[in-house]
Amino acid sequence: AQSVTQLDSQVPVFEEAPVELRCNYSSSVSVYLFWYVQYPNQGLQLLLKYLSGSTLVKGINGFEAEFNKSQTSFHLRKPSVHISDTAEYFCAVSDRNFNKFYFGSGTKLNVKP
Amino acid sequence: DAGVIQSPRHEVTEMGQEVTLRCKPISGHNSLFWYRQTMMRGLELLIYFNNNVPIDDSGMPEDRFSAKMPNASFSTLKIQPSEPRDSAVYFCASNRAGNEKLFFGSGTQLSVL
């Protein structure tokens, strides 16, 4: 079975500051890793994914994440955030067949002016 | 493409009433997922279908919950009888089986009084 832990339920940050949202996972098998973003009153949208290859993956809106197998982590980063990045961010894992997707509890990013 | 369509957008009902949530996946997608989002538990996978067949319903909380997918373009999630603790946002998502990207609907906000 797989599980995802997002330690920070809320992260306040000022505009133009860097941010890191933490994600750790556990799994007895190899998994694929994802970050999704949820803007208010909307469904989730795919931000980025790690399937294979380079451990540093880049997504939309200037976000990137690094897969660290030894630490079972997949932290999300952005060097300079904007007000428009205010949203809830979910880390997720799936099995190799993309049959089941498990999500973390989410981290609310609040970007302040 | 219209995306994943869920209805109703909001549902307010009284305890004990039957509630039916509806979902139309993206045309051509043959996997469909139902998720529930709450503050306490985050985003939980309730059930998923592949080619209209329920594959894993281990996330369905109780027998009061049931889901059907009579054809490739329609699915329902029913709660009978509903209880206040069922209040949550219910999301439907779909993808092509074996594809890594999930597409989410806008969700149904359910309030059981």
Side-chain angles (χ1 to χ4, degrees):
Chain A
Q2 295 96 23
S3 67
V4 180
T5 302
Q6 291 181 246
L7 292 172
D8 305 307
S9 60
Q10 296 192 51
V11 173
V13 63
F14 287 104
E15 194 173 18
E16 298 183 4
V19 71
E20 178 180 85
L21 306 184
R22 296 181 293 170
C23 171
N24 289 89
Y25 69 94
S26 66
S27 176
S28 56
V29 298
S30 297
V31 295
Y32 296 127
L33 296 156
F34 307 85
W35 277 97
Y36 278 78
V37 59
Q38 183 183 27
Y39 297 105
N41 300 313
Q42 295 184 26
L44 281 69
Q45 305 171 36
L46 181 65
L47 195 59
L48 51 77
K49 62 189 177 187
Y50 173 77
L51 304 182
S52 65
S54 172
T55 56
L56 183 64
V57 293
K58 295 186 183 298
I60 60 174
N61 300 336
F63 283 93
E64 62 182 31
E66 185 159 20
F67 169 58
N68 188 318
K69 188 174 182 179
S70 62
Q71 297 186 7
T72 60
S73 67
F74 191 55
H75 301 331
L76 180 70
R77 303 185 184 100
K78 186 169 182 179
S80 175
V81 294
H82 301 137
I83 296 288
S84 60
D85 293 325
T86 294
E88 189 160 15
Y89 293 79
F90 292 87
C91 184
V93 301
S94 80
D95 58 22
R96 287 290 189 173
N97 296 317
F98 307 115
N99 285 330
K100 297 181 76 169
F101 292 78
Y102 293 94
F103 287 81
S105 54
T107 298
K108 291 184 178 179
L109 177 64
N110 184 15
V111 182
K112 303 177 181 180
Chain B
D1 199 327
V4 177
I5 299 173
Q6 291 186 245
S7 64
R9 191 76 174 86
H10 302 276
E11 176 79 37
V12 180
T13 190
E14 293 186 346
M15 182 174 63
Q17 296 298 306
E18 177 180 295
V19 175
T20 299
L21 311 181
R22 298 173 176 79
C23 175
K24 176 179 169 57
I26 292 173
S27 177
H29 285 190
N30 53 355
S31 289
L32 183 142
F33 305 78
W34 281 101
Y35 285 89
R36 178 172 69 175
Q37 184 180 29
T38 61
M39 291 285 290
M40 293 296 294
R41 302 171 73 93
L43 201 61
E44 303 172 273
L45 175 63
L46 300 178
I47 184 172
Y48 82 94
F49 296 82
N50 192 21
N51 293 324
N52 313 337
V53 176
I55 303 300
D56 188 338
D57 65 354
S58 58
M60 297 285 262
E62 300 172 35
D63 291 345
R64 298 184 296 106
F65 286 70
S66 62
K68 295 182 179 179
M69 193 164 185
N71 56 62
S73 59
F74 185 64
S75 176
T76 59
L77 177 67
K78 185 177 294 186
I79 308 173
Q80 166 62 22
S82 58
E83 296 183 4
R85 60 195 169 114
D86 301 330
S87 298
V89 181
Y90 290 81
F91 286 103
C92 176
S94 71
N95 71 347
R96 296 182 191 275
N99 188 281
E100 74 275 10
K101 186 175 180 180
L102 274 182
F103 292 81
F104 281 80
S106 298
T108 295
Q109 173 79 58
L110 173 65
S111 297
V112 183
L113 307 177

